[in-house]
Amino acid sequence: MNGIPRYNPAQIEPKWQKHWDETGVLNASNDHTMPKFYPLIEFPYPSGAGLHVGHPRSNTAMDIIARKRRMEGYNVLFPIGYDAFGLPTENYAIKNHVHPAQVTQQNIDHFRQQLKRLGFSFDYTREDNTTDPKYYKWTQWIFLKLFEKGLAYKSEMPINWCPSCKCGLANEEVVGGVCERCGSEVVRKVKSQWMLKITDYAQKLLDGLDTVDFIEKVKVQQRNWIGRSEGAEVDFTLTSGDKLRVYTTRPDTLFGATYMVISPEHPLIENRRSLIANYEAVAAYREAAARKSDFERTELNKDKTGVRIEGIRAINPVTGTEIPVWVSDYVLMGYGTGAIMAVPAHDERDWAFAKTFGIPMIEVVAGGNIEEAAYTDIQDGVMVNSGFLNGMKVAEAKKSIIEWLTEKGLGEKKVNFKLRDWVFSRQRYWGEPIPLVKCEKCGWVAVPYEQLPVTLPAVEHYEPTDDGESPLSVMTDWVNTTCPHCGAPAKRETDTMPQWAGSSWYFLRYIDPHNDTELAAMDELKYWLPVDWYNGGMEHTTLHLLYSRFWHKFLYDIGAVPTPEPYQKRTSHGMILGENGEKMSKSRGNVINPDDVVDELGADAFRLYEMFMGAFDQAIPWSTESARGCRRFLDRTWRLMEMMTDEEGVSADLKCDVHTAIKKVGEDYERMKYNTAIAAMMSLLNRFYEKGSVTRGEMKIFIQLLNPVAPHITEEMNELCGFGGELVRKPWPEYDPAALVRDTVEVALQICGKVRGRMNVPADLTRENAEAFFMAQDEVKKLVGDKPVRKFIFVPGRLVNIVV
RNA sequence: GCUGAUGUGGUGGAAUGGCAGACACCGGGGACUUAAAAUCCCCUGCCCUCACCGGCGUGCGGGUUCGAGUCCCGCCAUCAGCACCA
């Protein structure tokens, strides 16, 4: 071919992006007779800094799958939107005295332009924006449904409070004792907060995991976070006459309980203050514990501390023995009953505590050495020193003791979860208003559905007030309203929702984004749900992913969505680190700007590099040098046009290479092994170069395989070569299994497991006739000599190993 | 501390128990060029050697196997998550 222009991504990339925009060829179709495919990436938070190189990693990966599915004949919905409520925008607004909505709009426009520059095949006609009143109308609608069903409640409780953000945080948002967003130390503060009862769904969230194809580590993390444990609650009688209820996962060790521990916040201390001889010491300990943040209380607690309560003792219900009661901060009020029975012989924490304070131990499960360490094995141990449980295995003993306790009315079987309810109020401006009204007479009343959305009023200042109330609280015109119930004067809720609200259901809105009368139409939901493949970061496993599963299950229960789970498959990408191997951040000065990379190398090379840089699920440092290598590959691909022949088919000598590549690339895309898929295409390209020519037939296949990763260059080549049509509309190539086999294969020749040579042998050589074949070869005779052959191993296509 | 993941050339990384280092990056050499860039070709794990031959090599120590980067046992290191969950 003559007159081939230079490869110029700056010219061809905008050309094809414009073409896709104008034709809408990548958009989802309304044709419900087609098989559907719904891939999803986590919609970005449109920060002022613009796109990060991390975004395109996930986006390109799913774009490859989306583009391949279109070629396979699916109706693909690959949507994009913006999770735009949130603190950075609000903080920017506070600092610069601009309305957050204005900042948000600018940022979204910038993001969209950056995303389009990278050639992602999103359907931009279905964009979500969580800050759009048409969108958050339905976020509020879902909240009201939760409120209606009793799953939203107000609670006066100690919450995590960030003094810097002046904002309450969910437990899940506190990372290592500091605020996840700003890094300030989190303190405790009592505040009346809206809570969502995610704990009501703990079992359903757990069971649902068995029905979906999430990668195993995501399932493990969610299971651990939900933290189901089976055990029993047992009542101990105290010498004060009270009953002290404990939760234990090891009721089988009840005979070994030699003391009890209550949390410093346990009500018993105040209720029986007069009976506690050393109340002063206990109160002092409690104050010390309260001063510690959760972080200190746990982190600094390598050595166990505690105070023994003088004046109250407990009676072990099975042995009748009197045992002491201690106060220690290793027992938390927020889990179980805030009190435990301590079995130092068979629990590591109890063991450490008992050692520190010289408390006796009783071995009740034989098999370990309790002088050395607590014996916690629950498989092989056999009960001893345990009355009627003696001789039983742990599992059996557990069952028996629970039956016994239930019969005697001393306790019962109990399932506990670590999962805690979701703190849903924020004292901030830039969030969805909570659509509730407080009436003196009627209490909390829902704003009627037909009045939604409750929109954010314009305010003068976006800062939370000094007492920590939302900026909305000073908007008296907005706050003062009437009760929808009785018409009396009433006040609006001024707290707003957390950022997690809008992101908990955004994938539903994509399905029917312009619907004014419903969240989304049921026939559309039935066609598109569930999301077939959702890729995102591991950091969202226990926050966003769990919250959105909770909301979805709730919506399923009220009949608003047709599937019990939102996402069928969940995969996860690794982080992109800076060139120095550290996390990319402004403060470290190692941030790579995607725009700069596209300017220098083009979007296709950028996409290619992000997929080639290493294993998709692992953290990889960025390397601009390596990225240039990917551009080199595209330059070489482009120059294939100079060596293209008029032949239509695949040449005989490359038939095997081409079909092997079709198989490998297709399978590797599906397994998210993008790096080896690209390596296979590089190898094939090298074969074309070795040969010095490529046929039209080979070229068609090659650019089709490469198209999902590098869509612009391949479309341009398709056009320049005069192949007709567009790659996005062409079918994905199929391989011919017969073409994969070669006539001869090279095998390794091993003597006693050491490689001594290589040989070409017929590919159809079988195990049966291999020994005769090899022993007749001169090369083999030379290596073996006259030593007797003790063993002969032949692995077809791989190697032969002769043991002498 | 617990849990999980990872550990392979100068670098990023390949490798259903079967030829370790695919594919790239960096580096070196050559061709082309007045020259440079670009491009093309060759070399590139380490040691010994002019070269051949050979030896050593997947964090460390054992084991299973004809054969181990891969499986088992015990360590070490790094990273991530969790923070005493009874």
Side-chain angles (χ1 to χ4, degrees):
Chain A
M1 236 174 113
N2 293 321
I4 294 162
R6 247 179 60 94
Y7 172 45
N8 182 6
Q11 189 214 322
I12 65 174
E13 288 175 357
K15 167 185 162 183
W16 287 101
Q17 285 155 16
K18 187 159 169 266
H19 175 79
W20 295 327
D21 251 2
E22 287 170 359
T23 58
V25 60
L26 304 167
N27 295 348
S29 146
N30 289 324
D31 179 0
H32 288 196
T33 62
M34 289 170 78
K36 68 95 182 179
F37 184 71
Y38 185 177
L40 184 68
I41 47 114
E42 286 164 352
F43 63 164
Y45 174 71
S47 76
L51 210 62
H52 179 270
V53 288
H55 292 116
R57 196 170 191 202
S58 178
N59 295 5
T60 307
M62 288 316 294
D63 194 39
I64 289 167
I65 304 296
R67 286 177 178 273
K68 178 163 178 275
R69 284 290 181 283
R70 287 192 195 94
M71 294 175 190
E72 289 168 336
Y74 286 87
N75 183 13
V76 173
L77 170 56
F78 187 35
I80 182 69
Y82 307 94
D83 189 16
F85 277 126
L87 291 185
T89 303
E90 184 163 344
N91 290 336
Y92 183 90
I94 290 169
K95 215 171 135 190
N96 299 287
H97 303 288
V98 287
H99 196 285
Q102 194 188 327
V103 184
T104 297
Q105 197 50 53
Q106 283 166 9
N107 289 349
I108 286 177
D109 290 343
H110 184 217
F111 258 70
R112 186 187 302 109
Q113 176 242 324
Q114 284 187 302
L115 290 168
K116 285 196 173 180
R117 245 195 122 189
L118 288 167
F120 298 127
S121 64
F122 293 130
D123 182 344
Y124 290 94
T125 66
R126 293 173 179 251
E127 274 186 18
D128 278 350
N129 169 358
T130 56
T131 66
D132 182 345
K134 289 198 200 99
Y135 179 90
Y136 69 68
K137 170 181 178 176
W138 298 103
T139 312
Q140 291 175 335
W141 182 89
I142 296 169
F143 176 82
L144 286 185
K145 288 290 173 190
L146 288 159
F147 178 72
E148 210 173 90
K149 302 288 174 187
L151 290 167
Y153 63 99
K154 203 136 198 198
S155 174
E156 192 78 39
M157 62 176 304
I159 57 150
N160 303 304
W161 178 259
C162 174
S164 164
C165 301
K166 291 177 180 170
C167 185
L169 303 171
N171 288 317
E172 290 90 331
E173 288 174 289
V174 182
V175 177
V178 301
C179 173
E180 186 191 48
R181 305 204 180 271
C182 74
S184 314
E185 179 113 354
V186 173
V187 299
R188 286 158 170 275
K189 179 169 172 157
V190 175
K191 194 146 201 341
S192 179
Q193 299 278 355
W194 284 103
M195 308 285 292
L196 293 187
K197 264 194 208 169
I198 189 173
T199 50
D200 272 14
Y201 277 76
Q203 191 62 49
K204 280 185 178 176
L205 288 167
L206 197 58
D207 293 342
L209 290 174
D210 295 332
T211 68
V212 291
D213 313 317
F214 294 2
I215 51 171
E216 200 51 34
K217 60 179 174 179
V218 168
K219 287 191 182 186
V220 168
Q221 249 189 55
Q222 288 215 345
R223 284 196 189 106
N224 289 345
W225 194 265
I226 295 166
R228 182 193 154 101
S229 67
E230 271 180 40
E233 287 195 348
V234 184
D235 286 326
F236 281 61
T237 304
L238 301 179
T239 53
S240 62
D242 299 287
K243 277 193 173 17
L244 182 58
R245 177 158 274 230
V246 302
Y247 173 70
T248 176
T249 53
R250 293 292 306 274
D252 51 294
T253 61
L254 187 51
F255 284 85
T258 53
Y259 64 100
M260 302 190 76
V261 185
I262 62 173
S263 145
E265 298 87 8
H266 200 281
L268 178 79
I269 296 169
E270 282 311 305
N271 293 347
R272 289 296 175 211
R273 182 173 174 165
S274 59
L275 293 177
I276 300 173
N278 60 338
Y279 176 80
E280 296 294 317
V282 171
Y285 182 79
R286 180 179 57 193
E287 265 172 48
R291 268 200 306 276
K292 294 180 191 173
S293 68
D294 259 4
F295 184 64
E296 287 174 316
R297 185 161 155 174
T298 53
E299 216 242 357
L300 302 177
N301 216 340
K302 302 273 188 264
D303 299 314
K304 295 278 180 280
T305 61
V307 176
R308 180 172 160 165
I309 296 178
E310 307 292 346
I312 298 178
R313 290 170 71 80
I315 294 151
N316 185 320
V318 281
T319 62
T321 320
E322 265 194 24
I323 55 175
V325 181
W326 289 69
V327 178
S328 175
D329 60 8
Y330 81 93
V331 173
L332 307 174
M333 202 56 223
Y335 183 79
T337 62
I340 62 158
M341 65 174 210
V343 185
H346 305 290
D347 180 278
E348 281 166 27
R349 286 150 300 145
D350 297 347
W351 190 88
F353 190 86
K355 277 278 170 193
T356 306
F357 294 102
I359 302 170
M361 304 183 190
I362 300 172
E363 182 179 52
V364 291
V365 184
N369 178 1
I370 63 163
E371 290 304 312
E372 297 278 313
Y375 181 63
T376 57
D377 189 281
I378 55 163
Q379 297 298 324
D380 303 322
V382 175
M383 306 308 297
V384 293
N385 300 323
S386 294
F388 64 94
L389 299 177
N390 282 339
M392 293 182 186
K393 288 242 179 169
V394 168
E396 196 189 350
K398 222 178 233 186
K399 229 178 117 193
S400 301
I401 189 77
I402 290 172
E403 278 168 19
W404 186 86
L405 287 166
T406 311
E407 212 171 282
K408 301 272 177 192
L410 291 169
E412 68 226 2
K413 188 172 172 172
K414 171 83 182 176
V415 172
N416 249 341
F417 296 96
K418 282 195 239 176
L419 188 69
R420 278 168 280 189
D421 278 340
W422 174 6
V423 182
F424 200 69
S425 301
R426 297 298 127 99
Q427 293 72 48
R428 306 292 305 202
Y429 175 76
W430 197 226
E432 301 89 345
I434 292 177
L436 294 175
V437 168
K438 178 75 176 279
C439 168
E440 290 296 331
K441 236 170 59 195
C442 313
W444 286 105
V445 180
V447 172
Y449 288 106
E450 60 273 15
Q451 287 176 26
L452 297 183
V454 175
T455 53
L456 277 169
V459 299
E460 285 189 28
H461 301 286
Y462 305 106
E463 294 92 338
T465 58
D466 288 339
D467 57 359
E469 292 297 328
S470 160
L472 296 178
S473 64
V474 297
M475 290 291 302
T476 44
D477 287 355
W478 185 80
V479 172
N480 291 325
T481 181
T482 52
C483 172
H485 223 218
C486 68
K491 287 183 187 301
R492 288 187 190 279
E493 171 60 75
T494 60
D495 282 358
T496 54
M497 300 187 198
Q499 197 181 3
W500 308 115
S503 60
S504 289
W505 72 283
Y506 72 110
F507 55 94
L508 297 174
R509 191 62 179 173
Y510 288 141
I511 289 172
D512 193 8
H514 309 297
N515 194 327
D516 285 334
T517 57
E518 299 168 276
L519 183 147
M522 187 50 84
D523 64 322
E524 295 286 342
L525 291 170
K526 276 186 176 155
Y527 174 67
W528 287 109
L529 283 178
V531 169
D532 292 284
W533 193 336
Y534 190 18
N535 187 74
M538 278 309 285
E539 71 275 17
H540 288 125
T541 303
T542 50
L543 306 169
H544 158 66
L545 199 63
L546 201 60
Y547 289 151
S548 60
R549 287 185 60 225
F550 161 46
W551 274 31
H552 195 86
K553 286 188 168 301
F554 168 73
L555 290 172
Y556 177 69
D557 286 348
I558 63 167
V561 296
T563 61
E565 284 286 340
Y567 319 116
Q568 188 54 41
K569 176 171 176 171
R570 169 78 180 188
T571 54
S572 172
H573 55 264
M575 223 189 321
I576 295 180
L577 307 171
E579 297 211 65
N580 54 1
E582 290 174 16
K583 201 172 161 175
M584 247 184 227
S585 72
K586 230 187 223 168
S587 58
R588 290 188 177 90
N590 59 354
V591 173
I592 301 287
N593 181 347
D595 282 333
D596 296 342
V597 183
V598 175
D599 286 344
E600 187 192 337
L601 304 173
D604 282 332
F606 180 60
R607 294 166 57 113
L608 188 74
Y609 173 59
E610 290 228 351
M611 293 299 99
F612 182 64
M613 63 197 303
F616 181 68
D617 59 351
Q618 256 149 50
I620 312 278
W622 179 270
S623 160
T624 299
E625 287 299 336
S626 290
R628 292 198 180 107
C630 286
R631 167 59 190 264
R632 210 137 47 214
F633 167 73
L634 292 182
D635 285 329
R636 279 160 67 82
T637 297
W638 184 263
R639 286 199 304 275
L640 270 183
M641 289 189 287
E642 292 166 11
M643 54 174 89
M644 190 169 73
T645 67
D646 290 336
E647 203 182 326
E648 278 298 336
V650 174
S651 61
D653 52 338
L654 287 187
K655 193 158 188 177
C656 184
D657 294 282
V658 169
H659 284 265
T660 304
I662 295 173
K663 181 171 192 285
K664 172 90 177 149
V665 172
E667 288 174 357
D668 281 358
Y669 282 165
E670 295 296 330
R671 295 186 302 150
M672 304 191 110
K673 307 266 287 181
Y674 303 107
N675 53 337
T676 52
I678 292 163
M681 290 187 278
M682 288 174 168
S683 293
L684 184 57
L685 182 74
N686 289 342
R687 295 284 289 128
F688 295 145
Y689 268 78
E690 278 166 34
K691 200 183 162 197
S693 69
V694 60
T695 67
R696 287 171 67 86
E698 288 158 358
M699 181 73 114
K700 283 178 187 169
I701 291 169
F702 186 76
I703 60 176
Q704 195 79 32
L705 293 179
L706 182 58
N707 176 267
V709 187
H712 312 87
I713 185 176
T714 46
E715 284 290 2
E716 184 70 13
M717 286 174 69
N718 182 67
E719 189 177 277
L720 285 174
C721 292
F723 293 155
E726 291 165 60
L727 296 184
V728 291
R729 299 178 199 263
K730 289 185 184 181
W732 181 252
E734 284 178 31
Y735 63 88
D736 174 9
L740 301 176
V741 275
R742 294 175 191 273
D743 299 339
T744 64
V745 285
E746 194 187 62
V747 298
L749 183 55
Q750 291 186 343
I751 306 294
C752 296
K754 290 221 181 258
V755 180
R756 295 296 165 182
R758 295 187 170 96
M759 283 180 69
N760 275 306
V761 302
D764 55 2
L765 189 65
T766 60
R767 275 203 172 80
E768 288 72 44
N769 46 33
E771 182 158 2
F773 174 86
F774 281 102
M775 295 318 290
Q777 304 294 317
D778 289 343
E779 209 183 332
V780 177
K781 282 182 189 159
K782 205 173 82 192
L783 285 164
V784 174
D786 51 7
K787 295 180 277 277
V789 175
R790 288 200 13 235
K791 198 158 184 177
F792 185 90
I793 294 133
F794 176 62
V795 183
R798 293 285 185 175
L799 54 72
V800 58
N801 186 13
I802 301 165
V803 184
V804 295

